Amino acid sequence: AWVPVPMSAIRVASGGASAQDAEQMRALLAAYGAHANVQVADSGEIERRLRSAVDAAPDLLVILAGDGTARAAADMAGPQGPMIAPLPGGTMNMLPHAVYGAVPWREALTGALERGVERDIGGGLIEGRSFLVAAILGAPALWAPAREAVREGKLGLADLAGGTFTV
């Protein structure tokens, strides 16, 4: 049986991931005989941690984070890079739900390790920015800064309809 040598990145600042998830992920991967270098990162260091993980050329890069972080990891890995296992750790989790169904990250990772198969994921490019599975376009895309500000506890938003935000 193939045992991956993953490098895992957990984005603590995302909507559904926590610091406790790092130890749980280490334990789960160890139970399958996989050596894991689990890295915990906040939003300020996630890009550097992802680059380091991709450059280490693991068999599998496990991402417990939001859709944007999973997309960034896929962009960095490219078609020749490591396989990406995007686990639901964000707010919307459209990508992991498309891959594994709407299941908790532990169940998705267990399924990937036991029955995982490589598969292509739909996506595209709009004005030089990639998207996977789906994209939020038009006026709703302007709500992202407000959503992130609320997540960070900065509730002083103004003029949401006009697309400007004061935080």
Side-chain angles (χ1 to χ4, degrees):
W2 174 72
V3 177
V5 181
M7 170 89 59
S8 303
I10 298 177
R11 182 176 177 194
V12 174
S14 65
S18 71
Q20 294 80 15
D21 292 326
E23 282 307 315
Q24 292 177 11
M25 184 178 286
R26 277 186 194 96
L28 193 142
L29 290 167
Y32 284 88
H35 168 70
N37 180 355
V38 177
Q39 297 189 31
V40 179
D42 63 26
S43 59
E45 56 186 11
I46 192 67
E47 198 167 317
R48 180 180 58 80
R49 297 285 182 115
L50 285 174
R51 172 51 54 206
S52 172
V54 169
D55 290 348
D59 293 334
L60 178 66
L61 179 55
V62 179
I63 305 294
L64 176 58
D67 292 317
T69 304
R71 182 204 51 80
D75 279 351
M76 288 181 195
Q80 304 305 316
M83 286 188 290
I84 307 289
L87 302 179
T91 305
M92 295 180 69
N93 298 311
M94 292 189 308
L95 179 59
H97 289 172
V99 174
Y100 312 106
V103 299
W105 74 261
R106 291 159 200 79
E107 187 176 331
L109 181 55
T110 299
L113 293 170
E114 290 180 357
R115 304 174 300 283
V117 295
E118 186 175 341
R119 65 172 112 169
D120 292 329
I121 301 294
L125 202 63
I126 298 176
E127 294 187 4
R129 294 202 43 138
S130 65
F131 66 91
L132 301 171
V133 179
I136 299 175
L137 306 171
L142 299 174
W143 302 338
R147 183 191 71 224
E148 294 303 313
V150 170
R151 178 185 292 163
E152 294 171 8
K154 299 176 182 175
L155 304 179
L157 300 176
D159 196 16
L160 184 61
T164 59
F165 306 96
T166 306
V167 290

